[in-house]
Amino acid sequence: MSGRTGVSLRSLRYYEEKKLLNPVRLENGYRDYAESDVERIALIQLYFSLGLTAKEIMDFFDCLFQNGTRRECLPNAIEVAERKLGDIKKQIGILRKAESQLEEHLYEWRNAINQQWN
């Protein structure tokens, strides 16, 4: 699974320890991952990159993958999602401002170079 996803063995073990992954243990002790675990690992990576904790990710997964407890997990999942969405929108605003400033500087610098050579 590490080779397929690019995620280290250490990270996979951590995800398993935090109950984010639950591979089947074979008689020889090897872990047998489901095909759906590839997508699940990608989601785990995405959520960690957004700054969610293992507990928050588990809460999301309870809401995404558990039919029985879905209603109970929705308020918390909504709160976390709204908070993270707000953070992302702020980051997008900062990045757009940085992009605009860099484009403006590049335009000015290129004009300065062109004026020197003309």
Side-chain angles (χ1 to χ4, degrees):
M1 186 56 69
S2 178
R4 287 185 65 195
T5 62
V7 174
S8 71
L9 290 174
R10 182 176 177 208
S11 292
L12 292 174
R13 300 301 172 260
Y14 176 76
Y15 301 164
E16 187 177 349
E17 175 188 322
K18 296 297 180 181
K19 308 286 189 235
L20 297 172
L21 284 177
N22 191 20
V24 174
R25 287 295 200 136
L26 302 176
E27 287 182 24
N28 61 7
Y30 285 30
R31 290 165 176 87
D32 186 30
Y33 292 93
E35 190 61 34
S36 61
D37 285 335
V38 174
E39 183 181 343
R40 190 175 179 111
I41 289 167
L43 284 173
I44 292 168
Q45 297 264 273
L46 172 66
Y47 290 149
F48 272 131
S49 75
L50 294 175
L52 272 70
T53 65
K55 166 123 178 50
E56 289 170 327
I57 295 170
M58 191 64 229
D59 290 345
F60 266 31
F61 281 1
D62 281 348
C63 230
L64 288 172
F65 301 115
Q66 302 292 331
N67 292 331
T69 59
R70 188 172 177 84
R71 225 187 229 318
E72 296 166 7
C73 72
L74 286 174
N76 185 52
I78 289 169
E79 186 273 325
V80 171
E82 286 176 341
R83 181 170 38 86
K84 289 317 289 181
L85 186 58
D87 293 346
I88 290 168
K89 287 181 177 184
K90 285 178 191 174
Q91 290 174 348
I92 289 170
I94 291 167
L95 289 171
R96 283 190 175 136
K97 184 175 180 178
E99 176 187 37
S100 176
Q101 289 176 348
L102 285 173
E103 286 174 342
E104 185 178 313
H105 291 312
L106 283 169
Y107 176 78
E108 291 170 3
W109 296 336
R110 287 180 178 133
N111 279 341
I113 287 174
N114 288 336
Q115 288 174 3
Q116 282 180 345
W117 288 338
N118 290 333

